[in-house]
Amino acid sequence: MTTKIKVHGYHIDVFQHVNNARYLEFYEADRWEWMNKRNFISWAIQSNLTMAAVNINVNYIQGVLLGDELTVVTRMDKIGSKSAVCYQQIIRNKAGQSEVVSDAYVTFVFIDNLTNKAIMIDEELREKLESFNAVIDDFIS
């Protein structure tokens, strides 16, 4: 999955660059798009499941400035028995060049809304998670 973002004034902090907390918003925006493209949200709601991030490891490689054009890329990295990890990158597209400005690993679990407890990832959920990689462009190297 990829999401295009143009950096606007409301993304910029007093130091004239994108604050590190905004990167998390960019990553989350792409994860929502990722889920929407696969009708995952409606399936999760019907299945009484909530997806919850439990750990995020972010690398900030280069600063992002006003007017930069970014592409956020997400792919499934690992699927375990109770949690899954997606890998994301933010890529700046400038003057025909692409450069990674940040990357992140996001670990998440699925909560049963009736019991409020994390569930095991069954075969149906595993297949849905694996299908996310089918919509990726060739950005992640």
Side-chain angles (χ1 to χ4, degrees), residues 72-124:
V72 185
V73 184
T74 300
R75 72 165 164 80
M76 192 57 61
D77 188 58
K78 297 177 192 169
I79 303 170
S81 60
K82 274 191 113 172
S83 65
V85 179
C86 65
Y87 176 68
Q88 296 185 273
Q89 291 181 329
I90 298 176
I91 300 164
R92 177 180 14 236
N93 312 300
K94 193 173 193 176
Q97 299 289 324
S98 295
E99 60 183 338
V100 177
V101 296
S102 176
D103 68 354
Y105 287 92
V106 180
T107 303
F108 51 92
V109 298
F110 294 89
I111 307 292
D112 179 320
N113 292 334
L114 302 175
T115 64
N116 202 32
K117 300 209 181 281
I119 64 162
M120 299 292 285
I121 295 175
D122 63 16
E123 194 58 37
E124 181 181 17

Side-chain angles (χ1 to χ4, degrees), residues 17-71:
H17 71 277
V18 173
N19 182 278
N20 60 354
R22 287 286 186 176
Y23 288 73
L24 298 176
E25 292 174 1
F26 295 162
Y27 285 130
E28 186 170 9
D30 191 57
R31 289 193 309 272
W32 278 99
E33 285 298 318
W34 192 50
M35 290 185 290
N36 281 328
K37 290 273 187 193
R38 305 304 276 177
N39 297 316
F40 186 80
I41 295 169
S42 60
W43 175 84
I45 290 169
Q46 290 174 346
S47 301
N48 286 313
L49 295 177
T50 298
M51 185 174 171
V54 294
N55 187 26
I56 302 175
N57 293 304
V58 181
N59 295 304
Y60 301 98
I61 300 164
Q62 293 198 14
V64 176
L65 305 172
L66 182 66
D68 281 349
E69 294 182 3
L70 309 174
T71 302

